Amino acid sequence: MKAFKSLALAGIAVAVMASMSLSSCGNGGSSDKKTSDSTSGDDNTILGAGATFPYPLYSKMFSEINKINGLKVNYQSIGSGGGILQLTNKTVDFGASDAPMNGKQDSGLSAPAVHIPITAGAVVISYNLPEIKDTLKLTPALISDIFMGNVKKWNDAKIAAVNKGVKLPNTDIVVAHRSDGSGTTNIFTTYLSKVSPDWDKAVGKGSSVNWPVGLGGKGNEGVAGLIKQTPGAIGYIELAYAIQNGMSYSIVQNKAGNWITPSIASVTAAANIQIPADTKVSLTNTDAPDGYPISGLTWILLYKEQKYNDRSADRAGKLVKMISWMTHEGQQYCAALNYAPLPAAAVSAGDAVLKSVTYDGKPIMQ
């Protein structure tokens, strides 16, 4: 179903700001302020909260939706964990997460929720070494060793071995990581658990882990800020944040042994897999020889039955139409902001899930 007319690509750059409501979409609010009940207020204002990973893209999409039909979307970039919590509390119309909800989170809901994939992106290993003009290469084992605190200097022999000819400084490595519950962290730690038995045993995977070393920052923007402000820092952030902030990021060796630069093409290759019916799938450590190994989908989450807390059918219909637009016409905005458009299999799976969403037991999409 095409909910809105096709759009002409506007191609504007989106500024990266923490927990900002969308000025072009109206009715904003700080992420430190509790979001109002999603069942109250103007049915022409949709409330959402969650992942910082897709925030630059969502900002653009919601701005364009507002231009088309006047629908206002107030999206709070507070992290995937916060988005799931607000969906659980029914204070937003939709949550957003870079990690599928797990069993414990599912059981905390009063009713079933569904996952709609919106885009795919790369988690990059960014570093602050202004004296290095070459793009550094990192193997899976090196990434694990650095984030476990086993490699402490930038001129360590292990780093030098895969960056021959690069003059590495005798600078301390400072690890930067997320301090909040984060789908980006889930993507990164899931990758590390797949490639490093030591990491899997000592730290494990999840949206929040006990980091062996390092400094914590809130959101992709917080980690990016730590890296930019700290000489010798290294951390994991979404590709769009790195590019928009002019930050260096490494080439990573994938499962096939190839050195892969994170890009739309290499993320698209990683996402070209079979998508399960519930769309919950990991793209990390891809088998694709040209795929970037630290890639992931990001999802919008909403309740399968939309008639709750006196929500109107009109509000539910606008929400579903908005999400359908994002997975179809809205995909034209992905590439300009360094996200990979959804592969056809993911769009098809998302459509099927969205068609299962009901209001008073009746499908919203006809």
Side-chain angles (χ1 to χ4, degrees), residues 188-210:
F188 184 57
T189 58
T190 297
Y191 165 74
L192 288 177
S193 290
K194 288 180 179 180
V195 301
S196 171
D198 289 342
W199 179 277
D200 190 42
K201 182 178 179 180
V203 184
K205 63 185 178 181
S207 298
S208 181
V209 299
N210 293 320

Side-chain angles (χ1 to χ4, degrees), residues 70-216:
L71 184 68
K72 301 173 184 178
V73 186
N74 176 1
Y75 180 74
Q76 307 259 332
S77 171
I78 60 174
S80 297
I84 291 171
L85 178 62
Q86 292 215 26
L87 182 71
T88 302
N89 294 337
K90 297 182 176 177
T91 54
V92 291
D93 296 289
F94 69 90
S97 178
D98 309 323
M101 292 179 67
N102 57 37
K104 183 177 180 180
Q105 291 166 331
D106 285 334
S107 64
L109 298 174
S110 61
V114 296
H115 294 60
I116 313 295
I118 301 298
T119 190
V123 177
V124 302
I125 311 301
S126 182
Y127 54 87
N128 182 353
L129 293 171
E131 63 270 51
I132 300 295
K133 303 306 178 186
D134 302 270
T135 301
L136 292 183
K137 296 178 179 179
L138 293 175
T139 64
L142 259 178
I143 297 170
S144 174
D145 278 342
I146 288 170
F147 281 84
M148 288 186 74
N150 297 332
V151 173
K152 303 179 185 299
K153 293 279 189 178
W154 277 107
N155 62 351
D156 187 283
K158 292 180 180 179
I159 300 177
V162 294
N163 291 278
K164 298 185 184 301
V166 178
K167 188 176 180 180
L168 298 166
N170 183 30
T171 303
D172 290 337
I173 293 175
V174 180
V175 169
H177 57 74
R178 291 287 286 272
S179 60
D180 53 329
S182 159
T184 309
T185 295
N186 188 79
I187 294 170
F188 184 57
T189 58
T190 297
Y191 165 74
L192 288 177
S193 290
K194 288 180 179 180
V195 301
S196 171
D198 289 342
W199 179 277
D200 190 42
K201 182 178 179 180
V203 184
K205 63 185 178 181
S207 298
S208 181
V209 299
N210 293 320
W211 292 96
V213 294
L215 306 172

